[in-house]
Amino acid sequence: MTAAQPQVAQAVIGALSTTETFVQLLYLTASILFVLGLKDLGDAQTARRGVLLAEIGMVAAVAGTLLFGVDKGIIVRWEWIVVALLIGTGVGTAMGLWIPMTKMPERIALSHAFGGLAVALVGVVEYLNHGGPQMGTLHITATGLEVALGALTFTGSLMAFGKLQGFITGRPVTYPLQNLSNLAMIVGTLGLIGLLVYSPGASWAFYAVATLGVLLGVLLVLPIGGADMPVVICLLNSYAGLAASATGFALDNNVLIICGALDGFSGFLLGMMMSKAMNRSFSNVLFGAFGAAPEGKAVTEGAAPSGPAPNVGSVEEAAEVLRAARSVIVVPGYGMAVSQAQHAVRDLANVLAANGCDVRYAIHPVAGRMPGHMNVLLAEANVPYDHLFDLDVINDDFTATDVALVVGANDVVNPAARSNQSSPIYGMPILSADMAKTCVVLKRSLNAGFAGIENELFVRSNTMMVLGDAKKTLMQFTSALKE
């Protein structure tokens, strides 16, 4: 070892010993863990590890922020931080343990809402603390954007929650010149942020930005129908991420900039994928006023609401079809989530497999009420990951399949998307359940799906419908096959 080497080592140790350097190292570690976690979440086999990596990254980020606050003399009341930590932990734990999977979209919408509110409040406090005129161009621009996006995310997510929960009508709510007035408000918000750059002390403009953000969140989601909520959730996730990234610029916090950008762009890309899966453009989702939730009484017997009557079969008849099948593709949908039938699906699949039947699962990108909804439900029931197949991978196999078992799915198996050019879902990629030799459809009623249109599959000659609660019906199938 040369004489210079101990000096270099001491210099490195001395640099690392400073709080600021240690904080930056924590931020760097958190950012790397976020990137790795996001990568792992892209594959079902590594998703659990991805969540764990992201959790560790968040702990590192929070620790770094607390240390930074101590070093700069910002944090003076630790008891408030501890109280907030305990409340947040309690609420998060309760939500994780007791909210059923059928309500995951609503839970995510609420999480986005409060995340947006937190970002907006941080922006307001930042503006008040720095007095406006003392803020530089980048500082005031980032603060204005975070308040606008945070407020929009807050009210927009509450609107999405209301539509999903049924507090607000799932049908598009439109009025004359709606798109034009919304565009004018967006331009006005950006113009006010520009005014703040020119005159940071114009506090009225700052609060006008916050007010317009609140209004835009309501008015932008109001005309979007319930069937488009998966895309809206992705888009709101993108808004929340971009708001957090803007907060990072306002607070000069690198980890917020990085993780906010990751969140924002991943949400945007996921929304684009969801739009593609519905054969819709982003602009059509946002301004097309399509996706009405169906209304009206359930039809439990007899003919469909219009047209020819479906072939309604009994549990015993359907069980005999399954008993003779050598290959079955299960198509899960939101009805499976509502009846909590994922465990019953797994039990039936186990019995079929024991009888020598090949059982696989076909997953449509927009089945359910959020991206990955069906994957999570089936994973909860311990269905092997390698038995789940995306639409592009499995769709051609339906023609050689004995039975397509549709459990509560509707719009994602509607043949009108292929054959009826007048249908609003024409061109949407669907699972070809109608191409199987026999299609057994489990539904609670003959009502239309979330898109509000009737399903041609129900009246096909190779379709047998079994009406009733999916979980109860699947359990009856399993009992019959065991006998």
Side-chain angles (χ1 to χ4, degrees):
M1 179 180 292
T2 64
Q5 285 177 321
Q7 297 176 354
V8 172
Q10 290 177 2
V12 171
I13 294 172
L16 292 176
S17 65
T18 64
T19 302
E20 184 173 355
T21 304
F22 185 61
V23 167
Q24 295 306 318
L25 281 174
L26 284 174
Y27 283 167
L28 177 61
T29 301
S31 300
I32 292 172
L33 289 172
F34 288 146
V35 172
L36 294 176
L38 188 61
K39 178 180 179 296
D40 282 351
L41 285 171
D43 190 325
Q45 300 284 358
T46 58
R48 290 180 184 271
R49 185 177 67 191
V51 172
L52 179 61
L53 290 175
E55 289 173 342
I56 296 172
M58 184 57 69
V59 171
V62 171
T65 301
L66 293 176
L67 287 174
F68 177 81
V70 171
D71 187 50
K72 300 299 181 181
I74 298 173
I75 298 175
V76 293
R77 299 293 297 273
W78 279 93
E79 58 270 27
W80 288 109
I81 294 174
V82 173
V83 169
L85 180 65
L86 292 175
I87 293 174
T89 301
V91 171
T93 301
M95 291 172 70
L97 290 176
W98 292 318
I99 292 182
M101 285 303 304
T102 50
K103 299 299 181 182
M104 279 297 104
E106 289 92 323
R107 190 204 66 77
I108 290 173
L110 275 182
S111 296
H112 287 163
F114 290 114
L117 178 62
V119 167
L121 291 177
V122 167
V124 171
V125 171
E126 186 71 6
Y127 183 80
L128 292 175
N129 284 345
H130 290 85
Q134 285 73 42
M135 302 175 76
T137 299
L138 177 62
H139 197 178
I140 190 64
T141 302
T143 303
L145 286 173
E146 74 167 292
V147 169
L149 289 171
L152 188 158
T153 302
F154 173 60
T155 53
S157 297
L158 289 180
M159 288 292 295
F161 172 80
K163 281 178 174 283
L164 289 167
Q165 189 69 14
F167 299 150
I168 304 171
T169 177
R171 293 185 175 275
V173 179
T174 59
Y175 50 86
L177 303 178
Q178 184 175 51
N179 291 337
L180 186 61
S181 63
N182 286 346
L183 181 61
M185 292 177 67
I186 293 172
V187 172
T189 302
L190 295 176
L192 287 170
I193 293 175
L195 176 62
L196 282 171
V197 173
Y198 177 76
S199 177
S203 58
W204 67 269
F206 178 80
Y207 293 113
V209 166
T211 302
L212 285 173
V214 169
L215 291 175
L216 278 169
V218 174
L219 298 178
L220 287 176
V221 178
L222 196 63
I224 301 176
D228 286 329
M229 281 302 108
V231 180
V232 174
I233 289 174
C234 295
L235 193 59
L236 290 169
N237 181 72
S238 180
Y239 292 158
L242 294 177
S245 188
T247 305
F249 282 105
L251 300 179
D252 194 23
N253 188 303
N254 292 331
V255 75
L256 267 178
I257 295 172
I258 294 171
C259 72
L262 288 172
D263 191 18
F265 284 106
S266 62
F268 179 77
L269 290 175
L270 189 57
M272 293 288 287
M273 293 169 61
M274 295 298 105
S275 297
K276 181 180 178 181
M278 296 188 296
N279 196 37
R280 310 271 305 287
S281 66
F282 237 27
S283 60
N284 184 248
V285 171
L286 296 178
F287 308 116
F290 167 71
E295 294 181 0
K297 296 181 180 180
V299 182
T300 56
E301 295 180 358
S306 65
N311 178 24
V312 178
S314 66
V315 170
E316 292 75 17
E317 291 170 330
E320 286 305 312
V321 172
L322 290 170
R323 190 190 305 277
R326 295 298 88 191
S327 59
V328 172
I329 296 179
V330 180
V331 181
Y334 187 65
M336 185 185 77
V338 171
S339 63
Q340 291 287 287
Q342 61 269 27
H343 296 278
V345 168
R346 178 206 59 200
D347 293 340
L348 175 62
N350 290 342
V351 173
L352 288 169
N355 291 338
C357 181
D358 177 35
V359 182
R360 291 175 293 169
Y361 299 80
I363 309 298
H364 193 282
V366 294
R369 294 295 181 267
M370 68 178 186
H373 199 174
M374 298 299 104
N375 304 66
V376 175
L377 283 172
L378 294 171
E380 180 191 4
N382 294 319
V383 173
Y385 293 134
D386 57 359
H387 289 187
L388 276 56
F389 296 89
D390 292 334
L391 179 148
D392 294 336
V393 177
I394 200 171
N395 226 17
D396 292 338
D397 295 348
F398 278 99
T399 54
T401 299
D402 292 330
V403 177
L405 179 61
V406 180
V407 186
N410 199 323
D411 301 318
V412 297
V413 291
N414 192 338
R418 284 198 310 263
S419 59
N420 186 356
Q421 295 187 15
S422 64
S423 173
I425 65 169
Y426 179 72
M428 169 182 163
I430 62 166
L431 289 163
S432 301
D434 59 309
M435 298 294 186
K437 296 174 185 177
T438 302
C439 183
V440 177
V441 178
L442 308 186
K443 270 181 66 66
R444 187 180 298 273
S445 72
L446 297 179
N447 275 354
F450 216 50
I453 59 176
E454 295 177 20
N455 193 338
E456 296 178 6
L457 174 66
F458 300 164
V459 296
R460 292 289 178 93
S461 59
N462 64 330
T463 297
M464 177 189 295
M465 294 197 68
V466 182
L467 299 177
D469 179 75
K471 181 177 180 180
K472 181 180 178 181
T473 302
L474 288 164
M475 292 173 67
Q476 289 174 333
F477 285 169
T478 302
S479 297
L481 290 175
K482 285 182 178 179
E483 294 173 359

